[in-house]
Structure formats: structure tokens, C-alpha cells
Amino acid sequence: MSTKTLMVLGMHRSGTSLLASWLASCGLHLGDTLAGANIGNTKGHFEDLELVHLHDKLLKLVNIYDGGLTNIENIHALQENLVDEKIGDYLKAKQNKNVFWGWKDPRTCLFLKSYNKLIPNAKAIVIFREPLEVVDSIIRREEKKLAKRTLNRGFIKKYYYQLRYFLASKYLRHFKAKQFILAWVAYNELLIGFLEKKNVNDYIILNLNDLEKSEKEIFKKLTHWSFPLSYHPLADVIDKSLLLNTTAKINQASITKANHTLARLKSMANN
């Protein structure tokens, strides 16, 4: 059975959930059971839980945790044949059930070599966001998780957890931020490498800041790709309060490489 497949690609906290939610509202099938809302994404993640669990299992084999934000260099230790087999089984099952479908999980970026090999004709929408905005968004999400743990505690326990929150927040902003910026670079460099091998007619790449003004152009491209969708305004699903443009503070040495990667992404988006 001939199928049409769309990959929604991007680094964590870069607008992939917003983009996926809009595509779902237009009628794109993203999975039978989707990951629901939580403190990190109150509108939902729009991720196929079957794929999320598959990516989790593969990453744990090489000690990549934190949702794929740490030890990313370990991805090269994964046996390529194993990854191809597991992802191949997932894709075959989905293609046997769906003629038009897609998925979104930021960790797809870590397995793009296999995906491109197994479904070379798949279309892709790549979305990117300013690196310091992404890092700040990750930190604020982690701080929300920490803050939640201080609620409904007795006085002594609450004081203890407040102290832990204060120290952990300092740790996030002064030490983990550098790790997050390196993750941003790693994900987006993998995306650039993927796009450089792909026909320019088979993908869309855009800055999150341009999503609203580009929605009709994107929908037109999807129609050109023969996805049978019904246009639904992005304004109906977007919550701008979730898209704060605050930035993390990171030393210049850590941001230099990210700025180089960002310039390459913007160049590809403008061509």
C-alpha cells in the first residue's frame, strides 16, 4: 500500500508540539494514542506513545536519559542494525494501517539516519527556535517540576524542598544551561545534515517566529504533497502565553557554536 508520511522535526521546546497540534486540527493522523498534557506542556505533546516508548528503550540502551538531553554523544554507540530493525517494524505497522499519517517526537532527530534510510520519500517540516529561548524554556519547565514538589508539604518538609528548589534552580541556570545549549547544537546539526541529503522539494524549514505568517504557505505545500487535510486556523490552537521569548544567560564561549548553527538554519529557511 502506497502511503504518504510527514515527519515533524525539531529540537525540544522549539514549537514542535504547537506545529503538531495545528496539523492534527487539520486532520493529520499522528498516532492512535497520544501523550497527554503535563506540567511541561499543558496543551499536550501530540506524540504517538508507541513511538515515544520505542525511542525511550533505544536511548536507555546507551544511557541517554532526561528526554534525550544528556549524553547525546552516546547515540553513536547504538547498533545501527538494531535501530533499523526496531524503527523499521514500527514504520511497517503504521504504513499497513494508514495511507496518510505523520508523527512528532523531538528525539526523532537522533535517529534520522535510520528514518531517512527506511522511508527516504517521507516529507518533513522542520521548525527551529533561537537557542537561548530554547534553553530558557527547558530551564523554566524543570523549575516548574521542582516547584510542584514543594507543594502540600508540612512546614519542615516544605522548607527543605524550598531550599532544594533554590539550589537546584541555581544549578540549572549556572551549570545545566551549558549542557542544554550543547544539546540544541547537536539536534540542529543532525537536522542540517539530514536536510542536506534531502531533495529541497521534500521539506519545509522555518523559524518558530515565522510560523503564524507562514501557515497558509505551509498548508499549500502540504496540499501539493497530496495530504488530504482541511485548513484550520493556527490561531485556534496557539496559546502565545506558552511562547515566552525570554532568554537564558550563557557565557559567550558556549553560545558561539550555537550562533553558527542558527545562522545555517536561517540561511536554509530563507532559500
Side-chain angles (χ1 to χ4, degrees), residues 168-185:
S169 180
K170 289 285 187 183
Y171 176 70
L172 279 169
R173 292 194 172 272
H174 290 277
F175 297 100
K176 294 286 281 186
K178 182 178 179 180
Q179 188 177 69
F180 296 150
I181 202 73
L182 292 175
W184 184 95
V185 171

Side-chain angles (χ1 to χ4, degrees), residues 41-207:
N41 200 329
T42 57
K43 293 286 186 177
H45 293 270
F46 294 87
E47 296 174 358
D48 182 9
L49 282 176
E50 185 180 352
L51 182 62
V52 170
H53 295 325
L54 171 59
H55 285 164
D56 283 341
K57 290 177 181 177
L58 290 172
L59 293 175
K60 286 178 182 177
L61 291 175
V62 287
N63 298 314
I64 297 178
Y65 298 99
D66 295 335
L69 289 172
T70 59
N71 301 327
I72 298 173
E73 65 279 3
N74 293 357
I75 197 69
H76 302 295
L78 264 176
Q79 295 181 14
E80 190 173 326
N81 290 340
L82 174 65
V83 176
D84 290 350
E85 177 189 348
K86 297 299 183 183
I87 290 178
D89 289 343
Y90 170 82
L91 293 174
K92 287 176 185 175
K94 292 297 178 182
Q95 289 172 330
N96 287 336
K97 292 173 60 179
N98 305 286
V99 178
F100 302 96
W101 68 290
W103 79 87
K104 168 257 171 179
D105 179 352
R107 282 100 47 90
T108 300
C109 298
L110 303 177
F111 303 103
L112 280 173
K113 184 177 180 179
S114 290
Y115 281 108
N116 198 35
K117 183 194 309 181
L118 294 166
I119 47 171
N121 296 322
K123 309 302 183 185
I125 302 183
V126 174
I127 189 165
F128 63 92
R129 187 180 186 184
E130 301 287 324
L132 294 183
E133 291 179 15
V134 168
V135 172
D136 186 74
S137 181
I138 294 172
I139 290 172
R140 284 187 287 106
R141 179 188 65 187
E142 297 306 308
E143 286 178 335
K144 285 179 183 179
K145 292 178 182 178
L146 290 168
K148 187 177 181 181
R149 294 171 193 164
T150 68
L151 299 176
N152 301 319
R153 303 282 181 179
F155 176 77
I156 295 177
K157 281 189 175 182
K158 190 169 185 177
Y159 176 80
Y160 167 72
Y161 276 94
Q162 285 176 337
L163 178 61
R164 280 188 60 183
Y165 171 82
F166 173 78
L167 295 174
S169 180
K170 289 285 187 183
Y171 176 70
L172 279 169
R173 292 194 172 272
H174 290 277
F175 297 100
K176 294 286 281 186
K178 182 178 179 180
Q179 188 177 69
F180 296 150
I181 202 73
L182 292 175
W184 184 95
V185 171
Y187 273 70
N188 285 290
E189 285 291 337
L190 287 169
L191 283 168
I192 289 171
F194 165 73
L195 294 179
E196 287 177 338
K197 297 174 183 175
K198 207 161 181 65
N199 188 307
V200 294
N201 296 312
D202 289 338
Y203 67 82
I204 300 168
I205 176 172
L206 73 152
N207 191 317

Side-chain angles (χ1 to χ4, degrees), residues 201-257:
N201 296 312
D202 289 338
Y203 67 82
I204 300 168
I205 176 172
L206 73 152
N207 191 317
L208 173 60
N209 294 333
D210 298 327
L211 179 57
E212 284 187 271
K213 68 181 182 182
S214 302
E215 63 174 297
K216 290 186 178 179
E217 184 180 341
I218 294 170
F219 189 83
K220 183 178 179 180
K221 187 76 169 182
L222 291 167
T223 302
H224 176 73
W225 285 339
S226 300
F227 284 92
L229 305 177
S230 299
Y231 177 73
H232 191 87
L234 177 67
D236 288 353
V237 299
I238 193 170
D239 183 349
K240 293 185 179 181
S241 68
L242 300 177
L243 297 174
L244 297 177
N245 291 325
T246 53
T247 59
K249 294 181 180 179
I250 299 177
N251 65 64
Q252 189 59 40
S254 299
I255 196 61
T256 299
K257 185 169 179 57

Side-chain angles (χ1 to χ4, degrees), residues 2-20:
S2 178
T3 66
K4 289 278 186 181
T5 307
L6 181 66
M7 298 186 287
V8 179
L9 303 173
M11 165 65 178
H12 298 270
R13 317 303 290 178
S14 295
T16 54
S17 294
L18 170 59
L19 180 55

